Amino acid sequence: MIIDFRSDTVTKPTEGMLAAMATAKVGDDVFGEDPSINELETLAANMFGMESAIFCPSGTMTNQIGIKCHTQPGDEIICDESSHVYQYEGGGIAFNSGASVKLLHGDRGRITADLVKASINPDDPHRARTSLVSLENTSNRGGGSCYEFSEMQRIGEVCREHKLAFHLDGARVWNAIVAKDETTKQYGELFDSISICLSKGLGAPVGSLLLGKKDFIRKARRIRKVFGGGMRQAGFLAAAGTYALQNHIQRLKEDHAHARQIADTLSKKSFVKQVLPVETNIIIFEVAAPLTAAQYVEKLKEKNILAYAIAVDRVRLVVHLDISKEMVTKTCEVVEKMN
Ligand SMILES: *Cc1c(COP(=O)(O)O)cnc(C)c1O
């Protein structure tokens, strides 16, 4: 048995999900004729109380389309230095939108209204025009950390005051919603655009959605075509996404409990210098010298447990749909025996 904690993207469709995919009604979505995609887009938009949604192959694409729709070349985007939109989308902000980035030094991926306010460029021809603030919740590099909703609201107020667009990279927003007892509607009211991923904790094989106002999503449809993301009978994938939204949200609580259990076990070991606070499904810990993260990952691999070294001294484990209670128990046993 391989226990794979490398990412919550490694999940395989469940039987129920496969059945939903196999029986999906499909059509040509570029013509707007795929009933399963239309159903998913409506479901997701309604969940968040937003006007419209568009289904895309990846979260990178939904973020990049969002950024492209909100900006003009030469504009500047404000985000945390560890943001996925900046770190892991291949330089897409510059490549796709010709925009520059003002990186803020947040707390485990979370920035504040004060930091945002202080970094908006004045209306001066020497300076890039600040046009967009992008948040990430939960924060991936932050180890699944969640914003306080009130801080996101304060940032939203700063955006409104300065006429900046407000985007959420909500690849793991479900984890935040479940962990903090929030609602999707709260998010829909606050942000101009939201990117959500179906292929992370929710366990779908492919797919993300960008949510926003009708005109915004109309513009997004054009950009999606330009980016090569217009798909045809992709309703088979959308059906998996709809199934995930209907069946896999509340169960994220189990992932969070499992993550805490593993973190507790790790925190008692002398080879662990520190476990970062575990708020959702991601565990990041620092190994004590002279052991390196890569060496520790290798030791786990010998026991059929897969993890990821994200820095010289940092190991990341991500809990997800395909990690069972038995696997968590087994992992804790292995960790307890390690020296
Ligand atoms: C995974 C992820 C994305 C999107 O990634 P894709 O692999 O392109 O779907 C975006 N933002 C965050 C924070 C992520 O973790």
Side-chain angles (χ1 to χ4, degrees), residues 58-60 63 84 89 136 138 140 169 171-172 197 199-200 208:
S58 73
T60 297
N63 278 330
H84 195 281
E89 298 186 1
E136 184 175 312
T138 68
N140 179 8
D169 177 354
R172 294 188 183 79
C197 287
S199 60
K200 297 276 165 81
S208 292

Side-chain angles (χ1 to χ4, degrees), residues 70-233:
H70 285 306
T71 59
Q72 292 296 321
D75 284 1
E76 191 161 85
I77 296 161
I78 295 174
C79 64
D80 182 78
E81 63 195 355
S82 69
S83 301
H84 195 281
V85 293
Y86 174 72
Q87 293 282 356
Y88 302 120
E89 298 186 1
I93 293 174
F95 191 97
N96 298 313
S97 298
S100 58
V101 187
K102 186 159 287 174
L103 298 176
L104 303 186
H105 183 62
D107 168 34
R108 287 191 297 127
R110 295 162 301 188
I111 57 179
T112 64
D114 288 342
L115 283 173
V116 169
K117 205 169 189 171
S119 59
I120 298 167
N121 288 338
D123 183 8
D124 169 339
H126 293 90
R127 311 294 301 272
R129 189 178 75 109
T130 306
S131 57
L132 171 66
V133 175
S134 178
L135 303 188
E136 184 175 312
N137 202 29
T138 68
S139 162
N140 179 8
R141 286 285 296 191
S145 55
C146 306
Y147 273 91
E148 289 302 327
F149 203 84
S150 55
E151 192 60 40
M152 292 193 289
Q153 284 172 319
R154 277 194 283 276
I155 297 172
E157 282 163 26
V158 173
C159 289
R160 273 193 303 278
E161 265 170 45
H162 293 83
K163 298 199 165 43
L164 309 179
F166 196 25
H167 174 75
L168 176 71
D169 177 354
R172 294 188 183 79
V173 73
W174 313 103
N175 296 88
I177 287 169
V178 165
K180 306 282 266 184
D181 266 327
E182 296 161 347
T183 67
T184 40
K185 294 268 160 52
Q186 281 177 278
Y187 281 85
E189 279 169 18
L190 184 56
F191 289 93
D192 296 312
S193 57
I194 302 178
S195 159
I196 57 174
C197 287
L198 305 165
S199 60
K200 297 276 165 81
L202 295 193
V206 175
S208 292
L209 291 136
L210 181 65
L211 317 175
K213 286 216 160 43
K214 262 208 180 73
D215 285 350
F216 177 84
I217 296 299
R218 198 197 311 275
K219 200 168 160 189
R221 253 176 229 288
R222 176 182 291 275
I223 305 296
R224 185 184 68 173
K225 198 76 184 76
V226 175
F227 284 180
M231 298 182 284
R232 305 294 180 176
Q233 286 74 26

